[in-house]
Amino acid sequence: MDDCTLINNKLNMKMVKTLFLCNRQQTSFYLFITKGDKPFRSKDFSSALNIARVSFAPEELMKEMVGTKIGAATVFSALLDKNNNVEIVFDKDVMSEEWYGCSDGTTTGYMKVKTEQIINDFLPYTNHKVSIIEV
């Protein structure tokens, strides 16, 4: 997260944290976008969506389904999920930020985009349902 602090300062915004999660049976998948400095609690996430407890998806499924490795998950992976097997879930706190800072799908490249463009333009283009939760 120290690297994220440097990136935040350079790009004058706050990086999001994007987590690739699944249920125990590995039949339901979630790309959860939250604030970079906010701790993740599986119980809170699951409760907010009214679903069974989730955990981090296996590395091989992450590569296969969202095209990234550990530490590089990005909302832009929705472009690769043509069958909408992954539900996009935003933490409500991210929605209040003017800028959306995220990985470009690697662990070395980062982007700064208007949050409203991600929500209003990009995600509708991918045909993904977006859930907004408060955790």
Side-chain angles (χ1 to χ4, degrees):
M1 291 312 293
D2 289 337
D3 289 344
C4 289
T5 301
L6 293 172
I7 295 162
N8 289 347
N9 292 337
K10 286 251 187 214
L11 296 178
N12 194 26
M13 52 88 205
K14 295 178 185 171
M15 291 287 291
V16 298
K17 176 172 28 182
T18 305
L19 306 173
F20 186 52
L21 308 167
C22 67
N23 63 355
R24 188 172 13 155
Q25 298 81 13
Q26 297 179 3
T27 56
S28 297
F29 298 90
Y30 308 88
L31 205 56
F32 178 50
I33 297 103
T34 188
K35 288 190 154 197
D37 59 355
K38 195 172 195 178
F40 173 69
R41 292 183 183 87
S42 174
K43 180 181 177 185
D44 296 341
F45 176 87
S46 298
S47 179
L49 284 174
N50 198 26
I51 58 172
R53 204 83 170 259
V54 298
S55 61
F56 294 100
E59 183 176 2
E60 61 275 2
L61 282 178
M62 187 171 183
K63 287 178 186 173
E64 178 185 324
M65 295 181 73
V66 295
T68 63
K69 61 183 183 176
I70 302 291
T74 177
V75 71
F76 292 102
S77 291
L79 291 168
L80 301 174
D81 181 34
K82 303 277 188 213
N83 296 324
N84 290 11
N85 294 321
V86 179
E87 183 176 340
I88 310 296
V89 181
F90 273 84
D91 181 337
K92 185 178 178 185
D93 289 343
V94 172
M95 308 303 286
S96 63
E97 295 292 329
E98 177 182 7
W99 294 102
Y100 184 92
C102 68
S103 161
D104 66 353
T106 70
T107 56
T108 57
Y110 304 93
M111 301 193 294
K112 177 181 177 179
V113 181
K114 290 262 189 192
T115 302
E116 65 185 30
Q117 287 182 301
I118 297 293
I119 300 302
N120 299 330
D121 300 326
F122 174 73
L123 287 169
Y125 174 79
T126 69
N127 294 316
H128 276 77
K129 173 185 173 248
V130 176
S131 298
I132 300 170
I133 61 173
E134 195 166 350
V135 290

